[in-house]
Protein backbone atom coordinates (compact mmCIF):
# COMPACT_ATOMS: atom_id res chain seq x y z
CA UNK A 1 0.00 0.00 0.00
CA UNK A 2 1.39 3.42 -0.99
CA UNK A 3 -0.17 5.32 1.94
CA UNK A 4 -0.78 4.95 5.66
CA UNK A 5 -3.76 7.27 6.29
CA UNK A 6 -6.80 8.31 4.24
CA UNK A 7 -8.80 11.51 4.61
CA UNK A 8 -12.28 11.83 3.10
CA UNK A 9 -13.42 15.45 2.61
CA UNK A 10 -16.91 16.80 2.04
CA UNK A 11 -18.58 20.20 2.39
CA UNK A 12 -21.84 21.75 3.52
CA UNK A 13 -23.04 25.24 2.68
CA UNK A 14 -22.06 27.36 -0.30
CA UNK A 15 -19.17 29.71 -1.01
CA UNK A 16 -21.15 32.82 -1.98
CA UNK A 17 -20.55 35.83 0.28
CA UNK A 18 -23.50 38.06 -0.61
CA UNK A 19 -27.21 37.99 0.36
CA UNK A 20 -26.66 35.74 3.36
CA UNK A 21 -29.27 33.96 5.43
CA UNK A 22 -31.07 34.42 7.76
CA UNK A 23 -31.29 38.15 6.91
CA UNK A 24 -32.19 37.25 3.32
CA UNK A 25 -34.75 34.44 3.38
CA UNK A 26 -33.87 33.08 -0.06
CA UNK A 27 -30.18 33.98 0.28
CA UNK A 28 -26.96 32.01 0.55
CA UNK A 29 -25.76 30.10 3.59
CA UNK A 30 -24.16 32.05 6.44
CA UNK A 31 -21.59 29.27 6.95
CA UNK A 32 -19.28 27.23 4.74
CA UNK A 33 -18.19 24.03 6.48
CA UNK A 34 -15.50 21.60 5.33
CA UNK A 35 -15.32 18.27 7.11
CA UNK A 36 -12.80 15.45 7.09
CA UNK A 37 -13.08 11.81 8.17
CA UNK A 38 -9.59 10.43 8.84
CA UNK A 39 -8.76 6.72 9.09
CA UNK A 40 -5.72 4.46 8.97
CA UNK A 41 -5.31 2.97 5.50
CA UNK A 42 -5.87 -0.58 6.75
CA UNK A 43 -9.39 0.45 7.82
CA UNK A 44 -10.47 1.28 4.26
CA UNK A 45 -12.02 -2.18 3.66
CA UNK A 46 -14.19 -1.62 6.76
CA UNK A 47 -15.86 1.57 5.47
CA UNK A 48 -18.69 -0.20 3.65
CA UNK A 49 -19.48 -2.12 6.84
CA UNK A 50 -19.55 1.10 8.87
CA UNK A 51 -21.86 2.77 6.35
CA UNK A 52 -24.12 -0.28 6.22
CA UNK A 53 -24.27 -0.50 10.00
CA UNK A 54 -25.54 3.08 10.12
CA UNK A 55 -28.07 2.33 7.40
CA UNK A 56 -29.35 -0.71 9.30
CA UNK A 57 -29.70 1.32 12.50
CA UNK A 58 -32.11 3.67 10.73
CA UNK A 59 -34.02 1.04 8.80
CA UNK A 60 -32.11 1.40 5.56
CA UNK A 61 -30.77 -1.24 3.19
CA UNK A 62 -27.10 -2.32 3.31
CA UNK A 63 -25.27 -1.22 0.20
CA UNK A 64 -27.42 1.87 -0.16
CA UNK A 65 -26.28 5.47 -0.20
CA UNK A 66 -26.11 7.31 3.11
CA UNK A 67 -27.06 10.97 2.63
CA UNK A 68 -27.54 13.07 5.76
CA UNK A 69 -29.89 15.61 4.19
CA UNK A 70 -32.36 12.90 3.21
CA UNK A 71 -32.56 11.37 6.69
CA UNK A 72 -35.45 11.84 9.10
CA UNK A 73 -34.39 14.10 12.02
CA UNK A 74 -34.33 11.25 14.56
CA UNK A 75 -32.27 9.14 12.14
CA UNK A 76 -29.73 11.94 11.81
CA UNK A 77 -29.12 11.64 15.54
CA UNK A 78 -28.75 7.86 15.27
CA UNK A 79 -26.33 8.23 12.35
CA UNK A 80 -24.15 10.69 14.28
CA UNK A 81 -24.16 8.56 17.42
CA UNK A 82 -23.16 5.47 15.48
CA UNK A 83 -20.45 7.32 13.55
CA UNK A 84 -18.93 8.54 16.81
CA UNK A 85 -18.78 5.11 18.45
CA UNK A 86 -15.35 4.04 19.66
CA UNK A 87 -15.54 0.81 17.68
CA UNK A 88 -15.01 2.91 14.54
CA UNK A 89 -11.32 3.84 14.67
CA UNK A 90 -11.27 7.31 13.10
CA UNK A 91 -10.84 11.01 13.81
CA UNK A 92 -13.07 13.84 12.64
CA UNK A 93 -12.15 17.37 11.63
CA UNK A 94 -14.32 20.32 10.64
CA UNK A 95 -13.65 23.96 9.77
CA UNK A 96 -16.68 26.23 10.13
CA UNK A 97 -16.17 29.47 8.23
CA UNK A 98 -18.43 32.37 9.24
CA UNK A 99 -19.13 34.05 5.91
CA UNK A 100 -20.62 37.17 7.47
CA UNK A 101 -17.03 38.30 8.02
CA UNK A 102 -16.51 38.05 4.25
CA UNK A 103 -19.24 40.48 3.14
CA UNK A 104 -17.71 43.14 0.85
CA UNK A 105 -14.34 41.43 1.16
CA UNK A 106 -11.92 41.17 -1.77
CA UNK A 107 -8.50 39.56 -1.76
CA UNK A 108 -6.79 40.23 -5.08
CA UNK A 109 -3.83 37.95 -4.31
CA UNK A 110 -6.05 34.95 -3.55
CA UNK A 111 -8.53 35.60 -6.36
CA UNK A 112 -5.72 35.87 -8.93
CA UNK A 113 -4.73 32.29 -8.16
CA UNK A 114 -7.89 30.82 -9.72
CA UNK A 115 -10.11 31.45 -12.72
CA UNK A 116 -13.21 30.90 -10.58
CA UNK A 117 -13.47 33.85 -8.20
CA UNK A 118 -15.31 31.81 -5.57
CA UNK A 119 -12.80 28.95 -5.52
CA UNK A 120 -10.35 30.87 -3.37
CA UNK A 121 -12.64 30.82 -0.32
CA UNK A 122 -13.28 27.09 -0.69
CA UNK A 123 -9.58 26.38 -1.31
CA UNK A 124 -8.58 28.49 1.67
CA UNK A 125 -10.92 26.66 4.04
CA UNK A 126 -9.62 23.33 2.73
CA UNK A 127 -6.13 24.64 3.46
CA UNK A 128 -7.10 25.26 7.09
CA UNK A 129 -8.47 21.72 7.26
CA UNK A 130 -5.30 20.22 5.77
CA UNK A 131 -3.06 22.16 8.13
CA UNK A 132 -4.76 20.49 11.06
CA UNK A 133 -5.08 17.03 9.54
CA UNK A 134 -1.50 16.80 8.28
CA UNK A 135 -0.14 17.95 11.66
CA UNK A 136 -2.29 15.33 13.38
CA UNK A 137 -1.07 12.60 11.01
CA UNK A 138 2.59 13.56 11.50
CA UNK A 139 2.23 13.58 15.29
CA UNK A 140 0.18 10.38 15.41
CA UNK A 141 2.71 8.54 13.24
CA UNK A 142 5.60 9.74 15.39
CA UNK A 143 3.91 8.55 18.59
CA UNK A 144 3.40 5.12 17.03
CA UNK A 145 6.93 4.80 15.66
CA UNK A 146 5.90 5.15 12.02
CA UNK A 147 8.51 6.65 9.74
CA UNK A 148 7.60 8.72 6.68
CA UNK A 149 3.78 8.51 6.94
CA UNK A 150 1.82 9.24 3.77
CA UNK A 151 -1.71 10.67 3.62
CA UNK A 152 -4.15 9.94 0.81
CA UNK A 153 -6.92 12.51 0.26
CA UNK A 154 -10.28 11.74 -1.35
CA UNK A 155 -12.49 14.76 -2.01
CA UNK A 156 -16.17 14.73 -2.88
CA UNK A 157 -16.76 16.16 -6.35
CA UNK A 158 -18.20 19.64 -6.29
CA UNK A 159 -20.02 21.45 -9.07
CA UNK A 160 -18.04 24.35 -10.48
CA UNK A 161 -14.85 23.65 -8.55
CA UNK A 162 -11.66 23.49 -10.62
CA UNK A 163 -10.00 20.40 -9.13
CA UNK A 164 -6.85 20.72 -11.24
CA UNK A 165 -6.23 24.24 -9.95
CA UNK A 166 -6.93 23.08 -6.42
CA UNK A 167 -4.26 20.37 -6.69
CA UNK A 168 -1.84 22.97 -8.05
CA UNK A 169 -2.67 25.18 -5.06
CA UNK A 170 -1.91 22.32 -2.65
CA UNK A 171 1.34 21.62 -4.48
CA UNK A 172 2.26 25.28 -4.05
CA UNK A 173 1.59 24.99 -0.30
CA UNK A 174 3.74 21.86 -0.17
CA UNK A 175 6.57 23.66 -1.96
CA UNK A 176 6.28 26.68 0.34
CA UNK A 177 6.24 24.55 3.49
CA UNK A 178 9.27 22.60 2.29
CA UNK A 179 11.17 25.79 1.45
CA UNK A 180 10.01 27.65 4.57
CA UNK A 181 8.33 30.38 2.53
CA UNK A 182 4.67 29.81 3.45
CA UNK A 183 2.64 33.00 2.98
CA UNK A 184 0.66 33.90 6.14
CA UNK A 185 2.29 31.13 8.12
CA UNK A 186 0.88 30.99 11.65
CA UNK A 187 0.33 27.34 10.80
CA UNK A 188 1.34 25.46 7.71
CA UNK A 189 0.78 22.13 6.05
CA UNK A 190 3.02 19.27 7.17
CA UNK A 191 4.24 18.77 3.63
CA UNK A 192 6.10 15.55 4.25
CA UNK A 193 2.88 13.52 4.58
CA UNK A 194 1.31 14.71 1.30
CA UNK A 195 1.72 13.38 -2.23
CA UNK A 196 0.34 15.20 -5.28
CA UNK A 197 -0.68 11.92 -6.96
CA UNK A 198 -2.65 10.85 -3.86
CA UNK A 199 -5.13 13.74 -3.98
CA UNK A 200 -8.21 12.29 -5.65
CA UNK A 201 -11.72 13.31 -6.65
CA UNK A 202 -14.70 10.96 -6.31
CA UNK A 203 -18.50 10.93 -6.35
CA UNK A 204 -19.90 10.52 -2.85
CA UNK A 205 -22.49 7.85 -3.83
CA UNK A 206 -19.62 5.55 -4.84
CA UNK A 207 -17.50 6.02 -1.72
CA UNK A 208 -18.62 4.97 1.76
CA UNK A 209 -15.88 7.13 3.28
CA UNK A 210 -17.29 10.25 1.63
CA UNK A 211 -20.77 9.36 2.87
CA UNK A 212 -19.44 9.19 6.43
CA UNK A 213 -17.72 12.54 5.91
CA UNK A 214 -21.07 13.90 4.71
CA UNK A 215 -22.74 12.87 7.96
CA UNK A 216 -20.01 14.63 9.92
CA UNK A 217 -19.92 17.93 8.05
CA UNK A 218 -23.68 18.15 7.46
CA UNK A 219 -24.37 17.62 11.17
CA UNK A 220 -22.11 20.56 12.02
CA UNK A 221 -23.63 22.74 9.32
CA UNK A 222 -27.18 22.00 10.44
CA UNK A 223 -26.22 22.75 14.05
CA UNK A 224 -24.96 26.29 13.33
CA UNK A 225 -26.86 27.41 10.22
CA UNK A 226 -29.83 29.31 11.64
CA UNK A 227 -31.99 28.84 8.54
CA UNK A 228 -31.40 25.08 8.47
CA UNK A 229 -34.36 22.83 9.17
CA UNK A 230 -34.18 21.34 12.67
CA UNK A 231 -31.33 23.70 13.51
CA UNK A 232 -32.18 23.36 17.22
CA UNK A 233 -31.45 19.61 17.23
CA UNK A 234 -27.68 20.25 17.47
CA UNK A 235 -26.92 16.79 16.08
CA UNK A 236 -23.18 17.52 15.88
CA UNK A 237 -22.92 17.51 19.67
CA UNK A 238 -23.18 13.72 19.45
CA UNK A 239 -19.97 13.71 17.37
CA UNK A 240 -17.81 15.12 20.16
CA UNK A 241 -16.02 11.78 20.90
CA UNK A 242 -15.03 11.51 17.23
CA UNK A 243 -13.46 14.94 16.84
CA UNK A 244 -9.67 15.13 16.97
CA UNK A 245 -7.90 16.49 20.04
CA UNK A 246 -4.53 18.05 20.79
CA UNK A 247 -2.60 18.01 24.04
CA UNK A 248 -2.16 21.27 25.91
CA UNK A 249 1.28 22.62 26.75
CA UNK A 250 1.13 20.91 30.17
CA UNK A 251 0.39 17.59 28.52
CA UNK A 252 -2.26 16.84 31.12
CA UNK A 253 -5.31 17.86 29.10
CA UNK A 254 -6.63 17.63 25.56
CA UNK A 255 -8.64 20.17 23.59
CA UNK A 256 -10.78 19.97 20.48
CA UNK A 257 -11.16 23.70 19.77
CA UNK A 258 -8.94 24.81 16.91
CA UNK A 259 -8.03 21.20 16.20
CA UNK A 260 -10.90 18.80 15.48
CA UNK A 261 -13.39 21.69 15.53
CA UNK A 262 -12.30 25.04 14.11
CA UNK A 263 -14.56 28.10 14.31
CA UNK A 264 -13.13 30.68 11.96
CA UNK A 265 -12.14 33.50 12.18
CA UNK A 266 -12.80 33.18 15.90
CA UNK A 267 -11.82 36.57 17.35
CA UNK A 268 -13.38 38.50 14.51
CA UNK A 269 -16.62 36.53 14.32
CA UNK A 270 -17.22 35.83 18.01
CA UNK A 271 -19.36 38.98 18.34
CA UNK A 272 -21.55 37.85 15.42
CA UNK A 273 -22.65 34.58 17.00
CA UNK A 274 -26.06 34.05 18.51
CA UNK A 275 -26.28 32.76 22.08
CA UNK A 276 -27.20 29.39 20.63
CA UNK A 277 -24.13 29.26 18.36
CA UNK A 278 -21.91 30.45 21.20
CA UNK A 279 -23.08 27.62 23.44
CA UNK A 280 -22.54 25.13 20.63
CA UNK A 281 -18.88 26.02 20.10
CA UNK A 282 -18.29 26.14 23.84
CA UNK A 283 -19.38 22.48 23.88
CA UNK A 284 -16.24 21.75 21.85
CA UNK A 285 -13.93 23.69 24.13
CA UNK A 286 -13.99 27.27 22.87
CA UNK A 287 -13.57 29.94 25.56
CA UNK A 288 -15.89 32.59 24.16
CA UNK A 289 -15.39 34.85 27.14
CA UNK A 290 -11.67 35.03 26.43
CA UNK A 291 -12.21 35.54 22.69
CA UNK A 292 -14.38 38.56 23.51
CA UNK A 293 -11.89 39.90 26.06
CA UNK A 294 -9.99 43.14 25.52
CA UNK A 295 -6.69 41.27 25.37
CA UNK A 296 -7.88 38.90 22.63
CA UNK A 297 -9.51 41.68 20.62
CA UNK A 298 -6.47 43.94 20.97
CA UNK A 299 -4.34 41.28 19.32
CA UNK A 300 -6.45 41.38 16.16
CA UNK A 301 -3.92 43.77 14.64
CA UNK A 302 -1.37 40.95 14.78
CA UNK A 303 -3.55 38.43 12.99
CA UNK A 304 -1.80 36.49 10.29
CA UNK A 305 -2.71 33.58 8.06
CA UNK A 306 -6.41 32.81 8.26
CA UNK A 307 -7.45 36.11 9.85
CA UNK A 308 -5.51 38.08 7.23
CA UNK A 309 -7.69 36.44 4.58
CA UNK A 310 -10.56 38.42 6.06
CA UNK A 311 -8.64 41.71 6.03
CA UNK A 312 -8.93 44.31 3.30
CA UNK A 313 -5.16 44.82 3.57
CA UNK A 314 -4.31 41.16 2.84
Amino acid sequence: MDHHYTLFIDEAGDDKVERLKPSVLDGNSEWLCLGGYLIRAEAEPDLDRRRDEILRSIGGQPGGVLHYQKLHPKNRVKAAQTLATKTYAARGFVVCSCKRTMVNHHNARAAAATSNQRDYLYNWVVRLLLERVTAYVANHAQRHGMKKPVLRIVMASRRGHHFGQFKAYVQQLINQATAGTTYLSTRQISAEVLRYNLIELAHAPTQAGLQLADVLVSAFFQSIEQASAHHADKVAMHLRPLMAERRTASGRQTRRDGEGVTFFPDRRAVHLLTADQTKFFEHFGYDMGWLKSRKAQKNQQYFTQSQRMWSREA
Side-chain angles (χ1 to χ4, degrees), residues 86-274:
K86 292 183 178 179
T87 59
Y88 293 174
R91 282 293 177 265
F93 296 81
V94 68
V95 177
C96 303
S97 171
C98 180
K99 293 195 297 172
R100 279 185 282 169
T101 60
M102 286 287 287
V103 175
N104 298 322
H105 165 80
H106 179 71
N107 185 317
R109 180 187 180 99
T114 176
S115 58
N116 185 337
Q117 296 301 297
R118 296 203 311 270
D119 272 356
Y120 78 85
L121 173 59
Y122 176 86
N123 290 349
W124 183 268
V125 178
V126 175
R127 169 185 172 168
L128 300 179
L129 181 69
L130 291 183
E131 287 174 347
R132 286 148 180 80
V133 173
T134 56
Y136 182 91
V137 166
N139 292 333
H140 184 273
Q142 183 180 41
R143 291 197 309 271
H144 290 80
M146 185 186 301
K147 296 182 178 179
K148 298 182 179 180
V150 174
L151 173 67
R152 171 185 173 231
I153 298 172
V154 182
M155 300 185 66
S157 56
R158 175 175 180 268
R159 182 181 299 178
H161 182 240
H162 197 300
F163 183 64
Q165 288 189 356
F166 169 76
K167 287 187 68 173
Y169 172 65
V170 174
Q171 185 62 56
Q172 177 185 345
L173 295 176
I174 293 173
N175 296 341
Q176 290 175 345
T178 302
T181 59
T182 299
Y183 184 68
L184 305 179
S185 58
T186 300
R187 294 181 72 160
Q188 64 181 19
I189 283 176
S190 297
E192 68 275 10
V193 308
L194 292 178
R195 301 291 185 274
Y196 181 86
N197 65 315
L198 291 178
I199 303 174
E200 306 167 14
L201 190 69
H203 294 290
T206 68
Q207 293 276 340
L210 288 176
Q211 294 168 42
L212 299 179
D214 167 67
V215 171
L216 185 156
V217 71
S218 296
F220 272 90
F221 178 78
Q222 179 198 14
S223 297
I224 57 178
E225 179 77 10
Q226 297 177 74
S228 178
H230 302 281
H231 160 70
D233 292 352
K234 298 292 179 288
V235 175
M237 287 189 172
H238 297 284
L239 294 173
R240 190 173 185 273
L242 172 67
M243 307 314 290
E245 301 169 295
R246 73 180 186 282
R247 291 211 168 269
T248 60
S250 68
R252 300 192 190 112
Q253 295 178 309
T254 57
R255 302 189 59 141
R256 293 177 175 85
D257 58 302
E259 191 70 19
V261 179
T262 300
F263 154 54
F264 166 79
D266 51 9
R267 277 172 271 196
R268 182 162 301 229
V270 66
H271 298 291
L272 301 175
L273 298 182
T274 65

Side-chain angles (χ1 to χ4, degrees), residues 8-26:
F8 295 92
I9 298 177
D10 201 2
E11 66 172 284
D14 60 66
D15 54 11
K16 300 180 180 68
V17 295
E18 67 280 340
R19 302 183 68 255
L20 301 183
K21 297 175 182 177
S23 300
V24 181
L25 294 180
D26 63 344

Side-chain angles (χ1 to χ4, degrees), residues 289-314:
W290 184 85
L291 289 175
K292 294 177 180 178
S293 70
R294 183 176 301 178
K295 182 177 181 180
Q297 292 299 309
K298 183 179 180 181
N299 288 339
Q300 282 199 52
Q301 61 183 308
Y302 302 114
F303 279 7
T304 56
Q305 191 189 275
S306 53
Q307 286 82 0
R308 283 288 302 278
M309 181 72 177
W310 267 249
S311 166
R312 292 182 182 276
E313 290 75 35

